[in-house]
Amino acid sequence: MLIFGNIFCAFCTIFQKEIRIQERGVWLFSKVYSAGLKGIDGYLVQVEADVGNGLPGFHMVGYLASEVKEAEERVRTSLKNSGFSLPPRKITVNLSPADIRKDGTAFDLPVAVAVLTSYGVIGMEALEGQAFVGELGLDGQVKPVRGVLSMVSSLRDAGRIRCFLPEANVAEGLAVGGIEIVGVSHLQRMTAFLTGEKEIVGSFKRSMFHLEEEEGDYSVDFSEINGQKLVRRATEIAVAGRHNILYLGPPGSGKSMVAQRIPTIMPSLSQEEQLEISKVYSVCGMLPPGKALLRKRPFRAPHHTISPQAMAGGGRYPKPGEISLASRGILFLDEFPEFRREALEILRQPLEERKVTVSRVNGSCTFPANVLVAAAMNPCPCGFYPDRNRCSCNEEQVRRYLGRISRPLLERMDICVETSSVSYRDIRSRENENEPSALIRERVERAGEIQRKRFAGSGIFFNSEMGNRQIEKYCVLGEREDDLLHKAFREKRLSARGCHKILKVARTIADLEGEKQISINHLCEAISYRDLEEKYWGKGG
């Protein structure tokens, strides 16, 4: 009997919370706030729970994806393993608004809090101004989720003053600013906070986001590139005005090497840019571990077998694609003609509008696509055309190979530059020190500052974004320059877009030299970057 009594006492001690729940017998309606994701934006979600008489069960409604419906089992088991044994009652949980599809596992924690509140474990007053985001393990552990940046932003904008997050997502939440963040590791510990058994510790609050300096530890540098002065110059112009650039030349001439170093000469990310691109990576679950924001400009180099949906974004429920993951950075398309035609043609509209809108039956989402495209290709299948001493391709093979790049897509490449084969002397030369990325970046930043002042308040930041009105205002030509452009337009049979591209590039060249007026030299150089179209693809078309 003594042994039995000791076992019974131990049982009661372990499960004292369950007994207390059963004795109260008070069933409540509760409302808890959380957030969901639609595209890369967050929206407020109300998690409503009702516990009442009826056939015992756990029912979740509100237009839910399968992983959200499975929260029923995760929450039930997590509550049990956290020391809460719920009396058998009919539990109904609704996620509102019910006309927007909810996906992901971030609703586990708010559902558990709502159920505990309905059973009277947590007081309604403890939920005032609070919000909850997190996934639950079966043992009650709170696990990290994706999209925290967007969700916390929406909760702050909705007036929530405190948000409970998984500890692994606290840094992300802090990056938003203006809302108190509490990191929790276990459901039981969080409940102790809300019931007053433990003081809320480990909470953080920042009234404004403190921008840290971008890390400058790039593993590559332009000083490592020998020769290719024309390519270096064209790349500097492309970065200064955010012009798309196409490198064309034989294998091993340094096309990929130059492209990989473009981020090293781009200006540091601003606060708004960091938040924008980090939201995309957060929604995709691609933020580096332990980092709240991306400090460097993205460099994406998808394989040429990529599908159109993976390139631009899509799916039954739209998600960002490679062009959005590269926003504010570089989208490098190596072996340009080897990409599927559909995957390239889908880029035409986003490159003009700087955004991509994906519409599906289940919803429409707009993703950022403010990207600099750098593409690299060989001039023929063997790679050595027009050097007939090395090229074994016939004219039809060359024509068919180049024809994989459509004329409309080619026109969207503002600068086309040819890379030449590098000599052994260039490779092994140690006589001349090459200009490092830091010096090039200084010139790029000065040109960028000129453009920011020029377009202040217009929503435009770089010359490549100019429309017809801005071109007429800021690309005024003298009589000689106008005659030269007219001659190039007629002889090269340029389209209106091609003519405007030349003017935008000439404006950037003038900015790099600190000139207010576009001169004949600036225009000549800009026109020369369209010569490859005529040389390899022919005139006009």
Side-chain angles (χ1 to χ4, degrees), residues 254-322:
K255 302 185 293 294
S256 301
M257 189 175 182
V258 172
Q260 290 166 359
R261 284 154 178 76
I262 292 179
T264 68
I265 64 173
M266 298 183 78
S268 300
L269 288 168
S270 67
Q271 175 181 336
E272 292 75 17
E273 288 174 328
Q274 288 188 30
L275 288 171
E276 177 187 305
I277 63 176
S278 297
K279 278 185 177 181
V280 177
Y281 277 73
S282 177
V283 166
C284 296
M286 296 173 61
L287 274 181
K291 287 192 175 182
L293 297 174
L294 293 179
R295 304 294 185 189
K296 295 180 180 179
R297 294 191 180 273
F299 180 88
R300 304 290 300 181
H303 193 262
H304 61 260
T305 56
I306 188 173
S307 68
Q309 291 75 23
M311 180 71 83
R316 184 178 180 186
Y317 303 99
K319 294 292 176 62
E322 285 291 335

Side-chain angles (χ1 to χ4, degrees), residues 32-67:
V32 172
Y33 287 92
S34 185
L37 290 172
K38 185 177 182 182
I40 63 170
D41 298 316
Y43 64 94
L44 188 68
V45 174
Q46 296 179 4
V47 180
E48 302 169 331
D50 179 80
V51 175
N53 296 323
L55 189 65
F58 198 129
H59 309 282
M60 293 185 63
V61 296
Y63 196 8
L64 313 177
S66 59
E67 65 267 23

Side-chain angles (χ1 to χ4, degrees), residues 208-226:
M208 64 181 297
F209 171 64
H210 174 66
L211 180 64
E212 298 178 7
E213 292 295 327
E214 181 185 19
E215 300 171 4
D217 56 342
Y218 288 101
S219 59
V220 294
D221 194 276
F222 260 87
S223 61
E224 300 163 349
I225 299 176
N226 294 333

Side-chain angles (χ1 to χ4, degrees), residues 20 65 98 160 165 189 274 520:
R20 183 163 66 250
R160 298 291 96 187
L165 293 176
R189 184 182 177 208
Q274 288 188 30
I520 196 79

Side-chain angles (χ1 to χ4, degrees), residues 393-411:
C393 304
N394 60 44
E395 294 297 330
E396 178 60 23
Q397 287 176 315
V398 174
R399 186 192 64 79
R400 191 183 306 116
Y401 184 78
L402 295 174
R404 296 178 184 178
I405 309 300
S406 70
R407 196 73 186 206
L409 183 60
L410 188 64
E411 280 195 344

